[in-house]
Amino acid sequence: MVTNITNFGRSGLSDWLIQRVSAIILALYTIFMVGYLLFHPALDYPTWNGLFAQTWMRIFSLLAFLSLAAHAWIGLWTVITDYIKPTGIRFAVQIVVMLAIFVFLVWGVQVLWGA
Amino acid sequence: MNSKRPVNLDLSTIKFPLPALTSITHRITGVILFIGLIFGFWALDASLSSPEGFEAVRHALDENILAKLIAWGLLSALAFHFVAGIKHLLMDGGIGLELESANRKAQITVVASAVLVVLAGVWVW
């Protein structure tokens, strides 16, 4: 088996599986959010805030954000290694993507449990 | 491999089969969605921060043409990425791997996401 330590799960098979599982979680989260917004056309702040005050919604959202982080990294890693051949530039772009994912994750946690 | 065989790597002269086009679009929409996370997290953060923040997001989506365009664009990218992702999962399950059905599924992906793109536009406006 070919291993490459710069990918997410350290093996293509693991990446493949994580990408599928995270995709399904993200699909469920997307369907839920779109459905919720469609069924609440006159949404107000207390209702919206109340939804995200529920523990299950926070956990569901955190699961989605973690899936997003893994999914985005595996997807962008694949795209970056396919199209950016010079090692230095590829490395730099990968670091930028990694930092961006980290920022999004921290931001998401702060939104869910923040002050 | 015979190294004397002619090689053409000029992408502009190659006619891509539809499944190739949906594949590259899946990648492009993925990159767009990643960049669009800035707007998504901003909207989520602001809308949950306070009643004023909630109204600011609502106002932007109601009045601001640029915000509407961004929302529609991101929903469209999401729609395509979603449909193409489902196609991927079906193919992982061994469904429709023959040339004929691969073309058919690429066509269905294009049509289904086009419908969703229109619906997303109706929703935003």
Side-chain angles (χ1 to χ4, degrees), chain A residues 72-73 76 96-98 100-101 104, chain B residues 29-38:
Chain A
W73 174 248
L76 287 171
V96 169
V97 167
M98 230 185 254
I101 290 173
F104 283 135
Chain B
T29 51
V31 173
I32 291 172
L33 287 171
F34 184 69
I35 296 166
L37 284 176
I38 296 170

Side-chain angles (χ1 to χ4, degrees), chain B residues 23-108:
Chain B
S23 172
I24 190 66
T25 311
H26 195 184
R27 289 182 162 208
I28 293 168
T29 51
V31 173
I32 291 172
L33 287 171
F34 184 69
I35 296 166
L37 284 176
I38 296 170
F39 301 101
F41 274 106
W42 170 80
L44 187 67
D45 190 1
S47 68
L48 286 170
S49 62
S50 64
E52 293 75 35
F54 183 87
E55 280 313 312
V57 175
R58 149 155 297 182
H59 186 76
L61 287 172
D62 275 350
E63 310 286 335
N64 191 325
I65 188 81
L66 189 63
K68 278 175 182 285
L69 280 175
I70 290 172
W72 186 39
L74 289 177
L75 283 172
S76 300
L78 181 62
F80 185 90
H81 203 79
F82 188 102
V83 174
I86 300 288
K87 185 182 90 125
H88 247 298
L89 292 175
L90 288 177
M91 293 177 81
D92 288 341
I95 300 167
L97 293 177
E98 307 77 25
L99 179 61
E100 187 78 354
S101 53
N103 277 322
R104 169 56 55 86
K105 273 211 309 299
Q107 288 164 357
I108 293 171

